[in-house]
């Protein structure tokens, strides 16, 4: 487990996967490489110097597979997570179907 990963009380890492986070900037996406941790409470991502995500399952509205890429999404490795606030995130992982099903199973 990474040193910069602070878990909440009672939180347990259930899965750890290398992957990318596609962050939307103006008219394109930039790729941040790092690692995802799927805990019993949330999705965490740490990558590069500043890339960081903390997505509690209770705030997620929808999860589905998608394609990712800088201008035209063409790589079939994406998982789009839409929050109840309307903001969405594109995760990129191998075995995305399994990851999407795992996240879906955490939504109440």
């Amino acid at each position: 487990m990474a040193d910069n990963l602070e878990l909440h009380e009672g939180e347990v890492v259930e899965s750890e996967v290398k992957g990318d986070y596609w962050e939307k900037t103006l008219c394109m996406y930039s790729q941040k490489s790092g690692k995802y941790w799927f805990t019993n409470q949330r999705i965490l991502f740490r990558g590069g110097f500043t890339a960081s995500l903390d997505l509690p399952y209770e705030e997620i509205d929808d999860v589905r597979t998608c394609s990712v890429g800088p201008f035209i999404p063409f790589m079939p490795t994406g998982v789009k997570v839409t929050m109840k606030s309307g903001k969405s995130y594109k995760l990129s992982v191998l075995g995305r179907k399994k990851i999407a099903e795992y996240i879906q199973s955490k939504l109440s």
Side-chain angles (χ1 to χ4, degrees):
M1 193 181 321
D3 295 333
N4 62 347
L5 204 62
E6 291 184 24
L7 298 178
H8 297 153
E9 189 172 328
E11 187 172 19
V12 179
V13 173
E14 296 181 341
S15 180
E16 191 176 309
V17 182
K18 285 185 180 180
D20 300 321
Y21 165 51
W22 287 83
E23 186 174 33
K24 188 162 190 159
T25 56
L26 298 177
C27 61
M28 62 179 273
Y29 284 90
S30 69
Q31 182 180 14
K32 314 280 188 203
S33 294
K35 190 178 277 192
Y36 287 98
W37 288 269
F38 298 91
T39 77
N40 57 332
Q41 298 176 15
R42 58 193 171 142
I43 301 166
L44 298 164
F45 175 80
R46 301 292 183 267
F49 296 108
T50 59
S52 174
L53 286 179
D54 181 342
L55 308 174
Y57 299 125
E58 64 194 25
E59 295 176 23
I60 296 174
D61 184 49
D62 188 47
V63 59
R64 59 186 61 210
T65 58
C66 66
S67 294
V68 294
F71 297 106
I72 300 168
F74 65 93
M75 294 180 284
T77 59
V79 176
K80 183 178 182 180
V81 175
T82 305
M83 308 304 284
K84 291 177 181 172
S85 67
K87 186 161 175 52
S88 64
Y89 300 89
K90 284 191 176 182
L91 325 180
S92 180
V93 292
L94 293 176
R96 70 178 179 162
K97 186 173 187 273
K98 192 170 102 176
I99 295 293
E101 288 170 354
Y102 171 84
I103 297 167
Q104 187 68 49
S105 77
K106 296 291 186 183
L107 306 185
S108 46

